[in-house]
């Protein structure tokens, strides 16, 4: 399993939210590029980026911070938030992103996901963010009646590189991931699944690894910044 350290960008800063609430943001670093360098120096193989403002605005907002990160690291990075048309997808990949994450458009314009996955093989992931098993969009601000697992299944033949599954109620809450729901989704599809939301201890990472589903990796943010998870221990645990 791959550990994806998260850099969530709000107003150019590296922050973490509590359950997706923009008003509940904690700033952890004023220099996102320096944070990305630190993660790479610690041995991380990937960096997970989220443009929080962009997710609400529907277009990239923290582009300068993302570009500064891409200019300073050599490991691959994936980005979600406000990526909702082919031009934006192409522009980000051209700037050196290894993978774009499509969330809102996966619900509203699934044909765009399919078109992008065909045009950029291996570089398009789907972000599925759910409360109580139902997908939320537009920076988690809008609830839908779409079932998370059914949405994942609908892209089974699309050629997407990964599904990033986030349980919103666990995100930033330091209460552990929703292992049962994540494992069930991973067993329902052949697409690689990355677990997100609530990963707050080494035991959480061990439990995800041992859940019996073929998870590709796990995203962690607040726990790495707070020191609840030792990054080097986490990397060793998932690589073992």
């Amino acid at each position: 399993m791959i550990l994806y350290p998260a850099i969530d960008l709000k107003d150019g800063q590296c922050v973490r939210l509590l359950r997706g609430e923009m008003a509940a943001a904690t700033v952890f670093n004023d220099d996102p590029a320096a944070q990305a360098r630190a993660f790479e120096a610690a041995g991380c193989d990937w960096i997970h980026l989220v443009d929080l403002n962009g997710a609400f605005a529907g277009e990239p907002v923290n582009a300068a911070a993302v570009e500064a990160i891409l200019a300073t690291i050599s490991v691959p990075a994936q980005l979600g938030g406000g990526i909702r048309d082919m031009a934006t997808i192409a522009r980000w990949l051209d700037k050196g992103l290894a993978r774009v994450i499509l969330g809102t458009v996966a619900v509203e314009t699934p044909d765009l996901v399919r078109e992008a996955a065909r045009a950029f093989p291996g570089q398009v992931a789907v972000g599925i963010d759910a409360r109580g098993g139902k997908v939320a969009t537009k920076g988690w601000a809008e609830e839908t009646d779409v079932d998370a697992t059914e949405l994942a299944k609908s892209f089974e033949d699309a050629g997407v590189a990964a599904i990033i599954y986030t349980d919103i109620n666990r995100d930033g809450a330091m209460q552990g991931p929703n292992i049962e729901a994540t494992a069930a989704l991973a067993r329902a599809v052949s697409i690689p699944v990355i677990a997100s939301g609530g990963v707050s201890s080494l035991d959480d990472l061990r439990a995800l690894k041992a859940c019996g589903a073929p998870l590709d990796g796990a995203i962690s943010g607040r726990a790495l910044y707070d020191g609840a998870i030792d990054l080097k221990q986490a990397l060793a645990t998932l690589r073992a």
Side-chain angles (χ1 to χ4, degrees):
M1 282 176 63
I2 298 168
L3 179 68
Y4 294 81
I7 295 179
D8 289 2
L9 299 164
K10 179 177 183 280
D11 305 332
Q13 298 175 309
C14 177
V15 308
R16 290 301 285 168
L17 306 185
L18 176 61
R19 299 184 180 93
E21 295 295 331
M22 287 288 267
T26 303
V27 177
F28 283 102
N29 199 323
D30 288 327
D31 188 345
Q35 185 63 63
R37 281 196 304 276
F39 283 143
E40 181 178 23
C44 293
D45 299 314
W46 274 84
I47 308 289
H48 175 76
L49 308 173
V50 181
D51 182 347
L52 293 170
N53 302 101
F56 285 91
E59 60 185 16
V61 175
N62 287 285
V66 175
E67 288 174 24
I69 289 169
L70 295 177
T72 197
I73 60 172
S74 57
V75 294
Q78 60 185 17
L79 170 70
I83 304 173
R84 296 184 192 166
D85 57 58
M86 282 295 284
T88 305
I89 293 166
R91 187 162 64 247
W92 273 129
L93 294 176
D94 190 52
K95 286 181 181 293
L97 266 182
R99 195 151 67 195
V100 295
I101 303 165
L102 306 180
T104 296
V105 295
V107 176
E108 297 183 350
T109 345
D111 285 347
L112 175 67
V113 176
R114 297 173 182 280
E115 181 187 356
R118 284 194 301 270
F120 305 105
Q123 294 187 285
V124 176
V126 170
I128 297 180
D129 308 320
R131 284 191 187 92
K134 300 298 183 183
V135 178
T137 60
K138 295 184 171 65
W140 304 350
E142 294 194 11
E143 307 284 342
T144 75
D145 292 324
V146 178
D147 180 82
T149 301
E150 292 308 310
L151 181 62
K153 286 180 177 178
S154 74
F155 293 111
E156 190 73 89
D157 60 349
V160 300
I163 288 172
I164 293 147
Y165 176 70
T166 304
D167 185 301
I168 297 168
N169 288 331
R170 303 294 182 102
D171 194 71
M174 300 289 286
Q175 294 172 353
N178 188 334
I179 293 173
E180 186 179 342
T182 305
L185 185 134
R187 282 193 287 265
V189 295
S190 62
I191 306 165
V193 171
I194 299 167
S196 174
V199 176
S200 53
S201 69
L202 282 173
D203 282 344
D204 289 340
L205 292 173
R206 293 186 187 105
L208 285 167
K209 192 171 181 183
C211 74
L215 296 178
D216 178 72
I219 293 167
S220 185
R222 181 178 292 272
L224 296 176
Y225 297 106
D226 284 348
I229 293 179
D230 179 275
L231 183 50
K232 295 203 169 174
Q233 279 186 296
L235 290 168
T237 296
L238 292 188
R239 287 170 180 161

